[in-house]
Amino acid sequence: MARAWPLAALSTDRTARIPAAKIALSTASTYPESTPAAFEMAARLGYDGVEIMVWTDPVSQDPQALRRLVDYHGIPVLAIHSPCLLLTQRVWGTDPWGKLVRARAAAETLEAPTVVVHPPFRWQRDYGREFIAGIERMAQETDVRFAVENMFPLRARGREVSAYAPDWSPVEDGYRHVTLDLSHTSVSRSDALAMADALGDRLAHVHLADGSGSAKDEHLVPGRGNQPCAQLLERLAVSGFDGTVVVEINTRRAETRAQREADLAEALAFTRLNLAAPAAAASP
């Protein structure tokens, strides 16, 4: 099983320490299949849980339906991704603060520790002006962590424009918790390791995927691009990271369920194998 072999190999020879971090499957990784299909694949392949991408699938929007899936498959929801994509602008209404309130309520109902949220789009002017203060205010009202995700600028004809406010990078904005997405660092041509170091303890959540440096948000299987996926995982293990590492890859081109599951299994094996601290770095 994908869950068992890396842990067994690493624990029997005592060459590494495995941190408390959980590995989740984003339901976005199984698109265009349904949310129930994502639960089924995550449970069978050996993931520790799922991150729910709230989108047009009605099940993804319904905490009670999600609770039934949790109970049936025996794996938890570890994060709720608020519907803040262009595709989901009307999911849970059009008020961005209302979306975050519902995301928090869903997380609390499902005992998920984290809500993932993107910075506002620039045209959401009122929301953007109040975003930093508003996220801090909401963070004070709950134990759920609002982890703001790094995005990327848009490039066209040699020009670079940010579609996000106050910025596509959350590093300098003082958020309590941040999600680091390595496909997004690829698009923004950021140094993912330097970004992780700058975030320090504010790094609460990771979206693990790869990229080739293209202007396209690729979400490749880890190890198939040029992002430091393995190095980041090892650093997280050395630091005792206890957040969640979420496999968020693009499997839309898979022609069959078997091809999709092969990519998901490969991504999980890569993550488990590299999310380990070498013995020399591990504390006694």
Side-chain angles (χ1 to χ4, degrees):
M1 293 288 293
R3 171 180 290 179
W5 76 260
L7 289 175
L10 291 169
S11 60
T12 55
D13 64 11
R14 298 183 180 181
T15 59
R17 181 184 63 191
I18 309 301
K22 301 293 186 182
I23 303 174
L25 177 66
S26 170
T27 58
S29 296
T30 64
Y31 181 85
E33 296 200 51
S34 66
T35 302
F39 269 87
E40 191 273 330
M41 284 184 270
R44 188 154 43 79
L45 293 172
Y47 282 84
D48 298 322
V50 296
E51 175 176 298
I52 302 298
M53 173 65 78
V54 180
W55 63 297
T56 54
D57 180 353
V59 174
S60 74
Q61 304 171 28
D62 185 346
Q64 297 310 315
L66 294 171
R67 169 59 68 188
R68 290 191 290 272
L69 289 170
V70 168
D71 293 341
Y72 182 79
H73 291 287
I75 59 171
V77 173
L78 296 175
I80 300 290
H81 195 307
S82 180
C84 46
L85 305 175
L86 286 173
L87 177 68
T88 58
Q89 285 296 288
R90 296 188 177 277
V91 173
W92 283 353
T94 57
D95 174 27
W97 292 115
K99 292 173 186 281
L100 290 183
V101 169
R102 291 190 64 169
R104 179 183 65 191
E108 291 172 342
T109 297
L110 295 163
E111 300 179 341
T114 303
V115 167
V116 178
V117 57
H118 292 181
F121 291 111
R122 282 210 171 273
W123 57 83
Q124 296 174 304
R125 294 182 180 179
D126 292 341
Y127 181 44
R129 277 193 293 268
E130 297 294 326
F131 185 69
I132 295 176
I135 287 291
E136 174 61 24
R137 190 163 51 247
M138 293 188 74
Q140 294 175 2
E141 299 170 353
T142 180
D143 291 332
V144 174
R145 299 176 296 192
F146 288 90
V148 181
E149 186 171 356
N150 64 301
M151 299 305 291
F152 46 83
L154 304 177
R155 293 189 182 88
R157 299 179 181 178
R159 298 183 62 189
E160 186 176 289
V161 179
S162 177
Y164 301 95
D167 195 4
W168 58 264
S169 171
V171 173
E172 302 296 333
D173 291 322
Y175 304 113
R176 290 191 187 192
H177 301 110
V178 171
T179 296
L180 179 59
D181 185 305
L182 271 73
S183 180
H184 295 175
T185 60
S186 174
V187 180
S188 66
R189 300 174 185 172
S190 303
D191 183 329
L193 298 180
M195 188 174 283
D197 288 344
L199 290 169
D201 292 342
R202 296 191 296 139
L203 177 56
H205 202 70
V206 173
H207 281 170
L208 192 68
D210 218 329
S212 65
S214 165
K216 180 181 178 182
D217 190 14
E218 297 169 292
H219 286 276
L220 304 176
V221 172
R224 297 186 187 177
N226 59 20
Q227 292 302 287
C229 297
Q231 296 94 318
L232 176 67
L233 290 169
E234 184 176 311
R235 285 197 187 189
L236 293 177
V238 169
S239 68
F241 180 72
D242 61 357
T244 304
V245 177
V246 180
V247 170
E248 191 184 66
I249 61 173
N250 185 346
T251 65
R252 296 178 193 180
R253 293 185 179 181
E255 296 180 357
T256 65
R257 167 69 72 86
Q259 290 178 358
R260 174 167 289 112
E261 290 191 355
D263 282 349
L264 299 176
E266 179 182 333
L268 176 60
F270 179 100
T271 306
R272 288 212 186 277
L273 183 62
N274 289 288
L275 188 62
S283 59

